[in-house]
Amino acid sequence: PLPSVSSLMIFSFIPSTPTEWYNIDVYWESLKLQTYMDPWRVEVDPNDLYAGIQKLRFVMYAENEVHISEADIFVATLPEAGWEIDIQPIAEQRCFGCHTGQTFTNLSTAQHWENRFEDILYQVDNQIMPPTEPFLTPNEILLLRGWREYGFSP
């Protein structure tokens, strides 16, 4: 899965041989993005990009060499989402079969989801959970992200 950008984010990245590069510039089309070093990071503001799959171009400078590589990211506008209408039905259909009060990871309430949200998002983004198909759709994952972005509304 592609990294998804919906609000200002800073991505960390590791160049293949980090000690050789003295500078790295990151571009989207002709727009140069803000980069930081130690560790290497790039700031991505979705307001600078348009929705969909975008290519970031990395220009890495060494003493006698310039190397260029690309990486894809996905930019989306997040929907407003609430627990009862949007997230709970996903949880009931995809998660409650295993993750209720009798399990190590109880995800039976909105509060449980909020407490473990980053972990849950990582698991569904990387198709680790649910353990069997069908995995969450891109729209369902956008709903999860929207729920967090708009303050975990009930």
Side-chain angles (χ1 to χ4, degrees):
L2 298 174
S4 179
V5 180
S6 53
S7 59
L8 182 66
M9 294 184 74
I10 296 181
F11 289 100
S12 295
F13 58 94
I14 302 172
S16 55
T17 52
T19 57
E20 294 181 15
W21 308 116
Y22 66 83
N23 190 32
I24 299 178
D25 292 328
V26 182
Y27 295 87
W28 170 74
E29 294 186 352
S30 62
L31 178 66
K32 184 177 177 183
L33 303 176
Q34 178 67 49
T35 57
Y36 308 92
M37 51 191 305
D38 197 24
W40 290 105
R41 302 174 316 273
V42 61
E43 184 175 289
V44 179
D45 186 343
N47 296 315
D48 293 337
L49 313 175
Y50 51 84
I53 297 174
Q54 307 295 315
K55 283 204 180 297
L56 295 182
R57 189 172 67 255
F58 295 81
V59 182
M60 298 167 277
Y61 304 91
E63 188 172 320
N64 296 314
E65 178 183 0
V66 174
H67 179 75
I68 299 173
S69 65
E70 293 183 336
D72 291 336
I73 61 170
F74 181 76
V75 178
T77 301
L78 293 176
E80 285 194 47
W83 171 257
E84 291 174 3
I85 293 173
D86 302 297
I87 307 306
Q88 187 173 7
I90 295 169
E92 287 173 352
Q93 182 181 14
R94 306 292 185 95
C95 309
F96 284 5
C98 298
H99 293 285
T100 57
Q102 293 80 29
T103 64
F104 178 71
T105 307
N106 183 356
L107 299 176
S108 61
T109 68
Q111 188 62 53
H112 291 134
W113 274 67
E114 287 180 49
N115 293 343
R116 299 192 56 107
F117 189 82
E118 293 305 318
D119 198 30
I120 293 167
L121 190 59
Y122 176 83
Q123 299 281 323
V124 298
D125 252 351
N126 291 288
Q127 297 182 336
I128 298 167
M129 288 286 161
T132 59
E133 293 187 26
F135 298 113
L136 270 65
T137 67
N139 285 339
E140 289 171 324
I141 293 172
L142 284 177
L143 282 170
L144 294 178
R145 291 177 184 278
W147 183 50
R148 174 188 58 194
E149 185 72 17
Y150 292 101
F152 296 112
S153 64

